[in-house]
Amino acid sequence: MAKHNEIGRQGENKAVCYLIEKGYTILERNWRFRHLEVDIICSIDSLIVIVEVKTRFAEEERPEELLGWQKRRNLLRAADAYMKMKQLNAELRFDLIIVSGADMIIEHIPEAVNIFD
């Protein structure tokens, strides 16, 4: 596995542990539909949360730069497909988790993707 893939996997593992500690239930990891992928799909209370994880050692990028319009569009499409496949009728939220630095510090940004962007 390439080094950047391994770093990404470590960041996703850290994000999953963080979400579980915060009371989320992990429903899916690396869920795929055609060419679309969602890093983590989880729930808390009656809310379904679509989570994009970005692992970075450099702090040059701002959160809004990590989720460009195409990535936001793909997350919306994947979430729609997931909800239809699972026949779910729940409220959706789109979060961003940034895992950064050698210490893998978590920054959780709820509602990072607004459906009406």
Side-chain angles (χ1 to χ4, degrees):
M1 181 180 286
K3 184 173 178 143
H4 72 278
N5 289 339
E6 181 59 35
I7 291 168
R9 173 64 75 188
Q10 290 173 2
E12 284 183 18
N13 289 340
K14 180 86 172 179
V16 164
C17 291
Y18 165 85
L19 290 166
I20 290 169
E21 286 175 10
K22 296 296 181 183
Y24 290 80
T25 300
I26 305 302
L27 303 174
E28 306 277 351
R29 288 188 67 179
N30 303 111
W31 185 82
R32 291 182 176 275
F33 177 73
R34 298 186 182 150
H35 70 283
L36 305 173
E37 181 181 354
V38 176
D39 293 333
I40 302 168
I41 301 174
C42 55
S43 66
I44 190 160
D45 301 321
S46 62
L47 184 68
I48 302 292
V49 184
I50 306 296
V51 181
E52 177 69 13
V53 179
K54 296 292 185 181
T55 305
R56 296 288 184 261
F57 285 107
E59 295 186 21
E60 305 121 21
E61 299 166 304
R62 299 180 39 84
E64 60 272 14
E65 295 168 342
L66 295 173
L67 287 174
W69 69 269
Q70 191 170 20
K71 183 62 176 178
R72 290 191 310 266
R73 183 191 68 198
N74 287 344
L75 284 173
L76 292 168
R77 287 180 176 171
D80 183 57
Y82 180 80
M83 298 296 280
K84 286 177 181 173
M85 280 181 140
K86 300 293 182 174
Q87 298 179 346
L88 297 173
N89 186 22
E91 186 177 346
L92 270 174
R93 187 176 81 201
F94 297 84
D95 292 3
L96 173 64
I97 291 183
I98 302 169
V99 182
S100 59
D103 294 335
M104 301 193 99
I105 304 297
I106 297 279
E107 180 182 359
H108 183 188
I109 304 169
E111 299 182 36
V113 176
N114 188 330
I115 293 173
F116 303 108
D117 268 358

